[in-house]
Amino acid sequence: MTADTTGGQLGTAEREETWRRLGSETFDLVVIGGGVVGAGTALDAATRGLRVALVEARDLASGTSSRSSKLFHGGLRYLEQLEFGLVREALRERELMLTRLAPHLVKPVSFLYPLTHRVWERPYTAAGLFMYDRMGGARSVPGQKHLSRAGALRLVPALKRSALIGGIRYFDAQADDARHTMTVARTAAHYGAVIRTSTQVTGFIREADRVSGVRIHDVENSRTQEVQANAVINCTGVWTDELQRLSGSRGRFRVRSSKGVHIVVPRDRIVAESGLILRTEKSVLFVIPWRNHWIVGTTDTDWNLDLAHPAATKHDIDYILEHVNSVLATPLRHEDIEGVYAGLRPLLAGESEETSKLSREHAVARVAPGLVAIAGGKYTTYRVMAADAVDAASADLPGRLQPSITDKVPLLGADGYHALVNQVDQLGARHGLHPYRVRHLLDRYGSLVHEVLALAEGRPELLKPLSAAPDYLQVEVVYAASHEGALHIEDTLARRTRISIEYPHRGVDCARQVAELMADVLGWSEETTNREVEIYQARVAAERDSQTQPDDQAADAIRATAPEARPELKEPEPA
């Protein structure tokens, strides 16, 4: 497929064109699901020369792929579980992201591993980190460094002196998961993939015993039509079983949902120059630097309720605070928390009752002629999963399938990024922006920053910050709606920006301003603008209330009271 001329733009004009194409063309592949695996599968297929369409019922990265720990990491704890192949594979992917595919989005991040036992723990941990480095961990990031207790406390003064006897510093990588997923999808569109959100699969088309397409429903305006394809790939993560049931095919594996909760606190609440990784009785707890904040998490518990809106409980938040406060000299309090988010990991169902011990390996299967399903895995290995999914569909595709080349395809914004980093002063002077602001934009958009800033030509007010969220410029909201496929203010506040977790007001105080900026692009009436604000306010109120509840059932019941931004969405029946 040839690259398109819009730079992967996902705007209103493209939205109408993609609807027309979905109903009039026959595709090699239809991908269901706009998380990182679905977006990666669309990119993999498009760059192999296949005709591919991706449909997502909600928004890009609206599920698991916006609610992770935001790390590209090998998974240090998987070494202890002897999953060497998974760690090696993940470290190779991390290396590719840092150096070639997404250096504008994926950055090195430092962690301190506090040592608490004398004699055995330092050599034991050092051996694990040595393997980590040898498997690929130290090519694009520094290798491990051993620290005395005094050295560790200089690095992280927030720790209690009694909480450690020494430490080891090592590096991994992090990224804004929602922005990365959206960029993968836009890159796929750039190479010819049809990408369409708010487009729900409501059924499968069959010819004799094979799947030959899907029926889709536009949840913004209730239009329906059929999409013809040689093969369909189910990349719906925690919804895998529901889609399998809808297809009428018997699945080869089952997916189990594990809830992970994170809290976000201001940077000044933990005095440290490095993140932390802490062992818990079940797994590990991360304290991750995140711009002017820390992300602290995660929990790991079974979840059998609403898959779209997993709810954090007071118990989840107390668990995180209890564990992190066990090592902090100045404890975190509930009132320190700026944001909370809960996500679901799609784990392959196994025999173990403890979700934290289930494998993060992925599984892919051709469950019926014309239908492939993929699930499991971890965010870091999405590109490998995508390639495996397309390979599995090859039996249903005409002609010879070219090998995967996404290890050589930089994401949009990567080309030219390093040169622009060296030009921040000139860029800032040209647009009247502080160099710090330009660096922040470059780390969100890379070389696409020119597209973003071009929207402010003749409208200098767009280069002013949002009044209640000054980390973000008004032009970023306009760009989210015009180029990045944001259709509702929830899409912009929760995923195109991270205002919903980075500010104590969780986006409520800037919802009106954001809605009015988006209204200009999307053509909203005053009534629609008001409704968008009301829906978002109700969402935040329900989330806040759910986070005071004692258990999952109570929290889920409260969260379910909030209206959907996409009211025409039809919830699939549980498998």
Side-chain angles (χ1 to χ4, degrees):
M1 280 225 154
T2 57
D4 79 348
T5 57
T6 64
Q9 186 170 330
L10 304 177
T12 50
E14 290 77 21
R15 186 166 174 78
E16 280 308 302
E17 174 61 11
T18 55
W19 182 259
R20 184 196 65 76
R21 290 185 62 188
L22 287 170
S24 62
E25 298 181 15
T26 298
F27 295 90
D28 293 310
L29 289 177
V30 167
V31 178
I32 309 173
V36 73
V37 176
T41 300
L43 176 59
D44 186 275
T47 53
R48 294 197 205 199
L50 298 176
R51 296 162 299 170
V52 59
L54 178 150
V55 291
E56 160 59 44
R58 289 180 170 81
D59 183 30
L60 295 169
S62 58
T64 302
S65 295
S66 61
R67 307 177 195 182
S68 73
S69 295
K70 314 199 184 318
L71 295 175
F72 265 88
H73 63 134
L76 192 57
R77 70 188 178 97
Y78 302 126
L79 284 179
E80 242 179 351
Q81 298 171 12
L82 306 181
E83 298 200 40
F84 302 119
L86 178 63
V87 175
R88 183 180 293 106
E89 183 177 80
L91 287 171
R92 177 176 181 268
E93 293 304 308
R94 189 192 74 180
E95 175 84 7
L96 279 170
M97 290 296 152
L98 283 166
T99 58
R100 184 188 305 169
L101 304 187
H104 55 314
L105 300 175
V106 182
K107 308 291 180 184
V109 61
S110 159
F111 287 101
L112 175 70
Y113 185 105
L115 300 171
T116 57
H117 297 90
R118 298 189 183 279
V119 183
W120 66 269
E121 191 179 17
R122 188 181 289 276
Y124 175 79
T125 307
L129 284 166
F130 177 76
M131 288 181 65
Y132 204 63
D133 290 347
R134 296 287 291 181
M135 286 178 175
R139 284 199 290 268
S140 52
V141 299
Q144 62 172 297
K145 182 179 181 181
H146 286 249
L147 301 168
S148 64
R149 175 191 278 168
L153 289 172
R154 279 195 298 273
L155 187 66
V156 186
L159 289 172
K160 295 176 185 173
R161 184 173 176 81
S162 60
L164 73 169
I165 59 165
I168 305 177
R169 185 187 198 181
Y170 76 99
F171 281 79
D172 252 317
Q174 70 175 170
D176 182 332
D177 47 6
R179 173 148 294 279
H180 174 268
T181 296
M182 181 273 299
T183 307
V184 175
R186 283 193 63 190
T187 307
H190 175 70
Y191 286 104
V194 172
I195 306 291
R196 202 168 198 279
T197 59
S198 284
T199 305
Q200 185 173 23
V201 170
T202 57
F204 288 77
I205 305 167
R206 286 184 173 268
E207 291 179 5
D209 67 336
R210 66 174 287 108
V211 172
S212 60
V214 294
R215 285 188 290 276
I216 58 172
H217 170 231
D218 186 327
V219 303
E220 301 294 334
N221 56 28
S222 293
R223 290 182 292 183
T224 62
Q225 65 180 356
E226 293 186 346
V227 186
Q228 302 293 327
N230 292 315
V232 176
I233 303 183
N234 177 2
C235 298
T236 55
V238 294
W239 283 275
T240 298
D241 295 349
E242 280 71 16
L243 264 291
Q244 285 299 120
R245 179 189 166 283
L246 186 66
S247 74
S249 303
R250 183 179 176 187
R252 301 288 178 84
F253 47 78
R254 295 198 61 230
V255 172
R256 185 164 157 189
S257 298
S258 166
K259 183 177 71 167
V261 173
H262 295 78
I263 64 172
V264 183
V265 299
R267 196 64 177 262
D268 62 5
R269 296 302 189 275
I270 302 175
V271 180
E273 296 176 23
S274 171
L276 287 169
I277 178 172
L278 307 170
R279 294 183 73 102
T280 69
E281 64 276 9
K282 293 181 180 178
S283 181
V284 294
L285 190 80
F286 285 105
V287 179
I288 306 162
W290 180 256
R291 302 182 192 132
N292 300 321
H293 319 268
W294 298 99
I295 293 175
V296 188
T298 179
T299 61
D300 206 338
T301 55
D302 257 342
W303 178 263
N304 301 300
L305 301 166
D306 182 11
L307 296 178
H309 307 295
T313 65
K314 184 176 184 298
H315 176 77
D316 295 325
I317 295 167
D318 287 344
Y319 169 89
I320 294 171
L321 290 177
E322 177 189 348
H323 281 79
V324 74
N325 285 341
S326 68
V327 301
L328 294 180
T330 303
L332 296 176
R333 302 166 300 168
H334 278 272
E335 48 266 41
D336 293 326
I337 296 174
E338 296 173 300
V340 179
Y341 63 94
L344 299 178
R345 304 177 190 88
L347 303 178
L348 297 176
E351 296 177 358
S352 169
E353 288 303 307
E354 294 184 44
T355 60
S356 60
K357 292 184 179 177
L358 292 181
S359 173
R360 297 306 296 274
E361 294 279 6
H362 65 271
V364 59
R366 183 171 178 256
V367 295
L371 180 60
V372 167
I374 184 163
K378 57 202 292 281
Y379 194 107
T380 307
T381 57
Y382 81 90
R383 200 190 58 78
V384 177
M385 295 174 66
D388 287 351
V390 176
D391 286 343
S394 62
D396 298 297
L397 300 177
R400 179 174 172 272
L401 184 65
Q402 297 296 323
S404 175
I405 60 162
T406 51
D407 60 338
K408 304 176 185 69
V409 179
L411 301 187
L412 289 183
D415 285 337
Y417 164 72
H418 292 295
L420 287 170
V421 169
N422 291 337
Q423 297 171 359
V424 291
D425 291 337
Q426 297 98 303
L427 268 172
R430 189 184 315 156
H431 295 280
L433 295 171
H434 192 281
Y436 173 84
R437 177 76 70 179
V438 176
R439 278 192 291 273
H440 178 71
L441 291 171
L442 285 173
D443 288 345
R444 286 172 50 73
Y445 305 97
S447 55
L448 296 180
V449 71
H450 297 302
E451 276 186 1
V452 180
L453 295 174
L455 294 177
E457 289 179 11
R459 299 180 66 189
E461 71 278 5
L462 292 182
L463 293 182
K464 291 187 168 62
L466 291 169
S467 55
D471 282 349
Y472 298 93
L473 299 179
Q474 294 178 42
V475 73
E476 297 184 74
V477 174
V478 175
Y479 187 77
S482 65
H483 286 69
E484 296 179 341
L487 299 176
H488 298 276
I489 63 172
E490 174 189 320
D491 302 345
T492 297
L493 290 169
R495 288 175 287 277
R496 303 305 182 276
T497 69
R498 306 322 288 266
I499 291 169
S500 67
I501 61 171
E502 291 177 343
Y503 288 86
H505 58 74
R506 304 195 185 182
V508 169
D509 290 1
C510 59
R512 170 67 57 182
Q513 186 180 15
V514 167
E516 290 173 353
L517 288 164
M518 293 182 69
D520 287 343
V521 179
L522 300 176
W524 290 346
S525 65
E526 185 178 353
E527 180 187 2
T528 300
T529 304
N530 290 337
R531 186 170 67 247
E532 283 284 325
V533 174
E534 289 165 6
I535 289 172
Y536 188 77
Q537 289 171 337
R539 165 203 157 122
V540 173
E543 286 183 347
R544 285 188 186 280
D545 198 359
S546 70
Q547 290 156 15
T548 66
Q549 302 303 310
D551 56 47
D552 286 346
Q553 287 73 20
D556 181 68
I558 294 288
R559 180 62 182 86
T561 62
E564 275 279 0
R566 293 167 167 82
E568 296 292 325
L569 202 66
K570 300 173 183 176
E571 291 296 335
E573 295 179 22

